[in-house]
Amino acid sequence: MLIRNACITDAKGTRTGDVRIENGVISAVGKILPREGEEVIDAAGYVLLPAFIDLHCHFRTPGFEYKEDIETGSRAAARGGYTFVNCMANTKPVCSSPEIAHGVMDEAKRIGLCGINQCISITKDFDGKTTEHLERLPDDLRFISEDGKGVRESSVMYRAMQTAAKKGLTVMSHAEDMDLSALDYRLAENLETARNLYLAQSTGAKLHMCHVSTIEALEDILTAKRRGVDVTFEVTPHHIWFADTDYRVNPPIRAERDVNALIEAMKRGEVDAIATDHAPHSEEDKKNGAPGMVGLETAFSISYTKLCREHHMPLEILSRMMSRGPAQIMGLNKGLVEEGFDGDVVLVDLGEPYTVHREDFAGKSKNTPYDGLSLYGRVVCTVKGGKITYDAR
């Protein structure tokens, strides 16, 4: 495949040129003459970015396929410009075994629209106590998470982090002190954030903090980074778009001062990644109070409109948070438009606004607060390994 006349932006900067992808890998960037029989995409009028990587999503397989499945989740990802996602373990049964994880990952490979890494639960079957299964994880399963709740007992999290440090696992923390959630959700996030940072410092574990939403948690993480703690963190699009609203997500939408602090940290280049926490629900489940929203198909547009157009953040910083940063956290050869990197790219239209229509979503669920919103940054074409997975040109 040859992509011509592109305005190319990634974490390293912006330039114009052509991009050739061969055998799934970017083989040349510059002024390139087409070859006979080569698939050619004219990118004139669009911006070419490295495809997006989502550190945090839910495809609901196994057990909750009525909300989402691997194929519909993969189609939603492709429509949103994503070629790789990291799925959480709160399935039914809970993903506590290599067999379940490999089943999900193999199905994604068969479908071919989006790569998946499947997380393993920190405690076996979310029992809150058992961590011995982590000792037996194979080398291709490197991420563990108790997403949906925090690990209640500090001693259990300490043991899990000891194993993670020994085996080279990344611990993904849903920071929520479950004893405080019903009393003060801000305090629940802040206290568990601080606890897990100190546990990571003590054990030497690699820690990733999910969906950071408060100014206090943000400041504690940045302070821990300066202390040398091996920690990265993500912010969701909805936690920078909304303030002081009651649409139910977990953690909740925060106050304006929290939103402003997160955005300023992003502009300073301090935030490692933007992750969607794509959480599909049926209409009935959502009406009954299920927290979360779908996010893959709107993440870039929400982030670009809020950060780049409203707050004048350079597109290079947004590309780093949505592509190169997540790739580095996950150890993927993705996230830059350079020779030798995977041939995963996305074309976006930054010039004309479009309107979000939930009925157009490729995913199975439609639980979004963005329906009817006018946004900039429409994804027009997604390419994974030199093959088009979504095309709306």
Side-chain angles (χ1 to χ4, degrees):
M1 175 183 286
L2 180 63
I3 304 173
R4 305 200 70 188
N5 308 311
C7 175
I8 304 165
T9 296
D10 62 14
K12 291 189 174 181
T14 298
R15 62 273 194 206
T16 57
D18 309 327
V19 179
R20 172 168 282 139
I21 302 172
E22 296 181 276
N23 300 316
V25 176
I26 297 171
S27 61
V29 180
K31 189 64 177 174
I32 306 170
L33 295 176
R35 297 170 179 165
E36 186 176 350
E38 187 170 48
E39 181 178 11
V40 177
I41 294 176
D42 186 359
Y46 302 127
V47 172
L48 176 72
L49 298 163
F52 312 133
I53 297 164
D54 192 8
L55 284 167
H56 186 166
C57 74
H58 305 263
F59 278 5
R60 304 303 189 195
T61 297
F64 300 105
E65 286 85 356
Y66 70 95
K67 301 185 182 195
E68 193 80 283
D69 57 43
I70 303 302
E71 182 169 356
T72 60
S74 295
R75 293 191 184 282
R79 188 172 184 267
Y82 287 86
T83 57
F84 199 93
V85 300
N86 190 32
C87 285
M88 297 298 106
N90 56 341
T91 52
K92 187 178 181 180
V94 174
C95 186
S96 298
S97 71
E99 291 75 21
I100 295 175
H102 288 149
V104 170
M105 292 155 69
D106 289 346
E107 178 67 1
K109 289 177 185 175
R110 185 191 68 78
I111 293 166
L113 296 174
C114 182
I116 290 181
N117 177 75
Q118 175 62 56
C119 281
I120 297 291
S121 62
I122 294 175
T123 66
K124 186 171 176 59
D125 300 325
F126 285 178
D127 69 3
K129 295 184 180 299
T130 308
T131 62
E132 285 77 11
H133 65 298
L134 302 179
E135 298 277 0
R136 300 185 292 275
L137 291 184
D139 288 343
D140 64 336
L141 299 176
R142 299 287 87 193
F143 287 78
I144 59 175
S145 174
E146 206 90 338
D147 191 74
K149 54 186 177 179
V151 175
R152 207 173 207 129
E153 295 184 25
S154 297
S155 60
V156 174
M157 192 60 149
Y158 183 79
R159 289 201 313 269
M161 286 195 184
Q162 284 183 312
T163 301
K166 181 174 64 177
K167 290 183 62 67
L169 307 175
T170 296
V171 180
M172 299 187 71
S173 165
H174 174 106
E176 179 182 353
D177 186 322
M178 306 296 288
D179 294 323
L180 289 171
S181 298
L183 303 174
D184 187 330
Y185 214 128
R186 172 180 290 272
L187 193 58
E189 177 175 348
N190 292 342
L191 282 183
E192 187 136 326
T193 296
R195 183 200 74 170
N196 288 347
L197 289 169
Y198 280 111
L199 290 176
Q201 182 174 6
S202 177
T203 60
K206 184 181 295 185
L207 177 64
H208 178 78
M209 301 301 301
C210 296
H211 42 49
V212 173
S213 69
T214 72
I215 189 170
E216 297 88 359
L218 171 67
E219 290 174 347
D220 282 350
I221 293 166
L222 295 178
T223 299
K225 280 175 173 272
R226 290 191 288 270
R227 291 202 309 266
V229 178
D230 191 355
V231 58
T232 54
F233 72 105
E234 69 192 41
V235 173
T236 73
H238 50 271
H239 282 118
I240 59 169
W241 185 268
F242 294 109
D244 299 307
T245 61
D246 58 3
Y247 189 92
R248 185 148 192 258
V249 287
N250 188 5
I253 301 300
R254 300 300 189 182
E256 184 110 18
R257 68 187 182 94
D258 299 297
V259 175
N260 291 338
L262 293 173
I263 291 173
E264 288 304 310
M266 288 173 153
K267 291 171 68 176
R268 294 192 300 266
E270 294 172 337
V271 176
D272 298 292
I274 290 173
T276 70
D277 196 6
H278 176 79
H281 291 296
S282 68
E283 288 194 28
E284 182 179 359
D285 288 343
K286 192 62 186 171
K287 286 177 183 176
N288 290 333
M293 67 178 73
V294 291
L296 285 166
E297 299 181 58
T298 53
F300 177 76
S301 300
I302 288 291
S303 301
Y304 176 76
T305 302
K306 173 62 70 172
L307 296 172
C308 298
R309 290 190 67 90
E310 293 184 21
H311 288 269
H312 311 293
M313 190 182 79
L315 183 58
E316 292 85 350
I317 296 179
L318 179 57
S319 178
R320 181 187 60 78
M321 291 189 292
M322 294 192 70
S323 301
R324 187 56 185 153
Q328 289 176 310
I329 291 168
M330 298 205 69
L332 302 173
N333 185 41
K334 301 177 186 291
L336 290 175
V337 184
E338 285 187 357
E339 291 180 27
F341 280 79
D342 289 354
D344 294 7
V345 297
V346 59
L347 294 177
V348 295
D349 180 356
L350 301 183
E352 296 294 327
Y354 78 101
T355 301
V356 177
H357 296 295
R358 67 196 293 269
E359 63 269 20
D360 294 337
F361 284 177
K364 193 174 286 188
S365 298
K366 316 295 181 185
N367 50 304
T368 177
Y370 303 127
D371 189 42
L373 206 62
S374 181
L375 298 172
Y376 287 85
R378 181 174 66 94
V379 172
V380 297
C381 185
T382 305
V383 174
K384 179 181 182 295
K387 296 180 180 180
I388 294 174
T389 56
Y390 173 75
D391 197 351
R393 289 172 293 159

